[in-house]
Amino acid sequence: MMNKIPKGWEVKKLGEIFNIVTGKTPSKKIREYFNGNIPFVKPSDLDLSDYIENSEDTLTQDGFKKAPFIPKNSVLVSCIGNLGKKAILKQNGSCNQQINAILPNSNFDMKFVFYYIDIIKPWMKQSASATTISILNKSRFEQMPFIYPNLVEQKAIADKLDDSFAKIENAITNLINAKENLKLYKQSVLKSAFNGDLLPNTSPTHWEVKKLGEICEITMGQSPKGENVFENSQSLNGLEFHQGKICFTDKFISKSKFITSDIRKIAEVGSILLCVRAPVGVINLTERKIAIGRGLCALKANNQNNNFLYYYLLGLKQYFESKATGSTFSAITLNIVKNCEIPLPPLSEQNLIVAEIDRRFAIVDKTLNLIDKSIQNAKNLKQSILKKAFSGELRSEI
C-alpha cells in the first residue's frame, strides 16, 4: 500500500463507498440448483482474466434464488485462503462464501477498483485472521482504506493500465511461445540424432539395433520395509548424501529421504533413473550414489556412451506410457524396459552425436534462461507501473 496520498486524492473506508456482499453456496444436496446458465464464481475462477463471463460452476434460476444476487460489473475478491484474487463479473451472477463482491457505484470506475486490489493486498494479508487459513471477513474487508482521485482521473488511470498491461501480456505471450518453439527444437534435434541426420559424417546404415537389456545394467528399485529406516530431509531433492548415509528416492517429486540401514538397490553416479510407475517414462540422471524405491529403475550402459542412452530415452516417454498397465496406477515391468530397442552407432559416432546434442542444448538452455528472466522482468514491470499509477506518478503520462 502507498505511504503517501497523492495530492487531490481522497481516502475512505471501502464500506463507506461501496455495498459489499459476501457470497453463499446453495445446498449442494439439491441437484436442481446447479448446472444452469447463471455464473456461480469460486476463487479458482478468479485471476484467470480481468473479466468473468462464464464460470466453472453455474446455477439454475432456482439455485440463483438461494444465493446472493451479484450484479454485473461487480469486482469479486477472494477473502479466504489465497487473498486478493480478483475479477470483474461481466453478467449478473453469484459467488461462494470465499468471495466478497464490491458492487458497482456509478461515481467510481470499477476497473480502477479492480486494479486497486493489487495495491491493497499487503493490507489484506496483515488484516486477515491469524488461523491456518487466512480469512478476511466482510466487516474487516469493509474497513479497507480506499484511496482514489476523481472519476475522470480514475478512468484515465484504468485506461493507461489496460493499455500498458495489454502490451506487457502480449510480450509475455510471445516469450512463452518462443519457449515452446525452443522445446520443440530440442525434440527435433533428438529425432535427427537418432535418425542419423544430425551430423553429415554419421550414417544409420551401419548402426545396430540392440535391446536395452543387452547393453545396460538395469536395476529395479525396492523400497525398504518400515518407516524407521528413513530420516527425512527438508530440501535436498533426492540426490545428496546426509551425514554419510545414502539418499533414497521413490519418485523424483517425492521428498528426500535417507537410508539409515543397508539396502542393495543402489543407483551409481551417472545412472539413468526411469520412472516405471506413474508418472511412467520420466527420466533423470543421478549426480550422487542413490538408493531407489520400486517406482524407479536405474540403467547404466556398458561400453557405450551413457549420455547417448540418456538422450534416446528422453524421447521414449510416450512409448513407455503405451506399454503401461494397471488400474490403480500405471506401471511398466522389467521385461518391457529390457526389451526396449535402441539404434546404436559405434562408440566413436555416439560420442560425436552426444557432443553435438550437448552443444545445441547448451545454446537452447541459455536462451531459455534469458527468456525466463525476461518474463520475470515483464511481471516486475507490471508491478512497477501499478505502484506509479496509485502514487499519482502517471499523471504526466495520461
Side-chain angles (χ1 to χ4, degrees), residues 183-199:
K183 291 176 183 178
L184 290 174
Y185 171 73
K186 291 179 80 170
Q187 293 176 16
S188 71
V189 168
L190 292 176
K191 183 177 180 181
S192 296
F194 298 104
N195 286 339
D197 299 330
L198 189 64
L199 296 173

Side-chain angles (χ1 to χ4, degrees), residues 224-233 242-248 257-263 266 291:
K225 295 180 180 179
E227 289 297 320
N228 60 331
V229 302
F230 293 128
E231 202 173 287
N232 289 323
S233 167
H242 179 64
Q243 297 178 350
K245 299 160 189 173
I246 297 174
C247 174
F248 169 83
K257 295 179 179 178
F258 298 89
I259 299 299
T260 57
S261 62
D262 292 335
I263 185 170
I266 301 295

Side-chain angles (χ1 to χ4, degrees), residues 18-31:
F18 298 97
N19 290 326
I20 310 297
V21 173
T22 300
K24 179 183 178 182
T25 302
S27 175
K28 292 187 176 181
K29 294 179 181 179
I30 304 177
R31 296 169 60 185

Side-chain angles (χ1 to χ4, degrees), residues 9-62:
W9 289 34
E10 296 186 54
V11 56
K12 290 186 178 180
K13 294 177 181 178
L14 193 69
E16 293 177 333
I17 301 171
F18 298 97
N19 290 326
I20 310 297
V21 173
T22 300
K24 179 183 178 182
T25 302
S27 175
K28 292 187 176 181
K29 294 179 181 179
I30 304 177
R31 296 169 60 185
E32 291 77 15
Y33 286 169
F34 295 92
N35 298 318
N37 57 7
I38 300 169
F40 181 67
V41 181
K42 301 179 300 184
S44 57
D45 298 309
L46 304 177
D47 271 358
L48 300 179
S49 65
D50 292 0
Y51 295 93
I52 289 181
E53 190 161 0
N54 300 300
S55 57
E56 182 181 3
D57 290 352
T58 54
L59 299 175
T60 62
Q61 287 293 339
D62 287 340

Side-chain angles (χ1 to χ4, degrees), residues 60-345:
T60 62
Q61 287 293 339
D62 287 340
F64 194 28
K65 293 175 184 177
K66 302 294 182 179
F69 174 81
I70 310 295
K72 66 179 182 180
N73 294 325
S74 296
V75 176
L76 308 183
V77 184
S78 62
C79 290
I80 297 180
N82 192 347
L83 304 180
K85 294 178 67 176
K86 66 194 188 307
I88 297 174
L89 193 61
K90 284 287 285 183
Q91 59 173 309
N92 297 340
S94 194
C95 59
N96 76 2
Q97 59 277 6
Q98 294 175 277
I99 294 173
N100 282 326
I102 306 171
L103 305 194
N105 182 326
S106 59
N107 295 317
F108 292 86
D109 185 87
M110 297 310 290
K111 196 61 184 289
F112 178 89
V113 178
F114 167 86
Y115 283 126
Y116 181 79
I117 297 300
D118 282 326
I119 291 294
I120 205 66
K121 277 183 182 179
W123 180 92
M124 294 179 66
K125 292 177 181 178
Q126 292 172 6
S127 302
S129 58
T131 59
T132 304
I133 299 176
S134 298
I135 299 175
L136 188 66
N137 60 34
K138 179 186 173 184
S139 60
R140 188 62 180 139
F141 186 73
E142 290 175 329
Q143 300 300 308
M144 178 192 298
F146 182 64
I147 303 170
Y148 60 95
N150 61 58
L151 181 58
V152 172
E153 192 169 347
Q154 289 177 40
K155 290 181 178 294
I157 288 172
D159 288 345
K160 179 66 177 179
L161 291 175
D162 279 346
D163 181 63
S164 299
F165 285 6
K167 291 175 181 176
I168 293 172
E169 286 300 327
N170 184 60
I172 290 175
T173 298
N174 290 336
L175 289 168
I176 292 173
N177 290 337
K179 282 186 67 172
E180 293 305 311
N181 288 334
L182 286 171
K183 291 176 183 178
L184 290 174
Y185 171 73
K186 291 179 80 170
Q187 293 176 16
S188 71
V189 168
L190 292 176
K191 183 177 180 181
S192 296
F194 298 104
N195 286 339
D197 299 330
L198 189 64
L199 296 173
N201 297 325
T202 60
S203 172
T205 56
H206 59 278
W207 292 13
E208 295 182 273
V209 175
K210 295 281 188 179
K211 294 181 178 179
L212 292 181
E214 296 177 305
I215 65 168
C216 294
E217 294 179 12
I218 302 176
T219 303
M220 296 294 286
Q222 181 182 21
S223 300
K225 295 180 180 179
E227 289 297 320
N228 60 331
V229 302
F230 293 128
E231 202 173 287
N232 289 323
S233 167
Q234 296 293 322
S235 61
L236 293 179
N237 198 29
L239 294 174
E240 298 191 24
F241 287 104
H242 179 64
Q243 297 178 350
K245 299 160 189 173
I246 297 174
C247 174
F248 169 83
T249 186
D250 189 45
K251 289 183 181 178
F252 306 124
I253 58 173
S254 66
K255 292 183 180 179
S256 302
K257 295 179 179 178
F258 298 89
I259 299 299
T260 57
S261 62
D262 292 335
I263 185 170
R264 296 181 181 180
K265 303 299 182 179
I266 301 295
E268 298 295 333
V269 176
S271 295
I272 300 164
L273 299 186
L274 168 67
C275 272
V276 294
R277 298 170 66 177
V280 169
V282 178
I283 70 167
N284 207 337
L285 276 170
T286 62
E287 299 175 351
R288 304 283 179 92
K289 182 182 288 189
I290 184 172
I292 56 174
R294 60 175 177 258
L296 299 171
C297 77
L299 302 92
K300 195 158 189 182
N302 295 321
N303 304 315
Q304 309 292 337
N305 188 314
N306 203 56
N307 284 334
F308 184 86
L309 173 60
Y310 168 75
Y311 282 132
Y312 182 71
L313 290 176
L314 270 180
L316 290 189
K317 189 174 188 299
Q318 289 185 340
Y319 167 80
F320 286 125
E321 287 176 339
S322 71
K323 296 293 183 180
T325 58
S327 55
T328 306
F329 52 81
S330 58
I332 54 175
T333 64
L334 174 60
N335 281 336
I336 290 174
V337 179
K338 282 184 174 180
N339 290 319
C340 178
E341 294 182 337
I342 177 172
L344 205 63

